[in-house]
Amino acid sequence: MALQEKLDRFNKQQEKCQSMLSNIAAKSSSSRAAVAPKPAPAPPFSGARPSAPVKFSNDTERLQHINSIRKSPVGAQMKRVIDILFQSRQAFTPEQINEACYVDVNGNRDVFEGLRKNPKVYYDGKRFSYKAKHDVKNKNELLVLIRKFIEGIAVIDLKDAYPNVMEDLQALKAAGQIWLLSNFDSQEDIAFPNDPRVPIKVDDDLKELFRSIELPRDMLDIEKDLQKNGMKPATNTAKRRAAAQVQGISAKPKPKQKNKEFSKKAKLTNAHLPELFQNLKSS
């Protein structure tokens, strides 16, 4: 009888221990479920390729390039800006200039003031733009401008008017609406108006007389003769030569004559301007 009681007591202890172990296991599993993070949802699939990472070496070279520009002389930085304005013919804010050519206009007071006072730059208080000497934008406006200068206008003053101005000058010349004659002293072209609505007849004697007139070899003498006769020269050789001396620019050497028969004793006459009489040969 005593043995049976001990056996029953032992079975009860086993059941109690089993119940405690079950409770401990249940609590442990519930705590793990509460602490474990939920997996993040997968990002939606995109067919676009990921952008290539910027290499450190390339970025370093770019920063060095920007730094070299901003440490360059003020004149060099201004030239970069004016080149951008000339090529684009658009108005740029200082921030846009910085993006286009890495010149920090707002951060460099000397560059800002130099651009604001430059005769080739127009500043409206917010934007910088290129300022040509003559405000013309197409062939028709160019022809109207040239007709205002009866005494002629230097082509060098028209070159920066708009991108294809030189092509329009040649087209006007081919159409007989203007003359393009070279300046003997500087070899620069002068544009003269030629109105085909005014018929002009010139006698052969007058043509011959014009061709036989001896001209001075120095452009200064030619300008003086024009002024004596009440005409205004299209050029100012004295002023140009004085400016060249101040800037230390030497005069261009005159090219040697290839014709062996030409000598210093030869006379320079109006015969070197045959274009003036191309349309008058039949008169």
Side-chain angles (χ1 to χ4, degrees), residues 76-111:
Q77 296 187 53
M78 289 175 55
K79 184 180 183 304
R80 288 181 64 87
V81 176
I82 294 175
D83 288 344
I84 292 292
L85 299 179
F86 174 76
Q87 294 169 5
S88 65
R89 299 304 174 103
Q90 296 178 358
F92 285 78
T93 63
E95 293 77 14
Q96 291 172 334
I97 291 175
N98 192 7
E99 293 177 1
C101 60
Y102 305 125
V103 176
D104 187 7
V105 177
N106 285 335
N108 192 323
R109 188 67 181 176
D110 293 336
V111 174

Side-chain angles (χ1 to χ4, degrees), residues 168-180:
D168 287 347
L169 281 172
Q170 294 298 329
L172 292 174
K173 176 184 176 182
Q177 295 178 299
I178 66 170
W179 298 108
L180 289 179

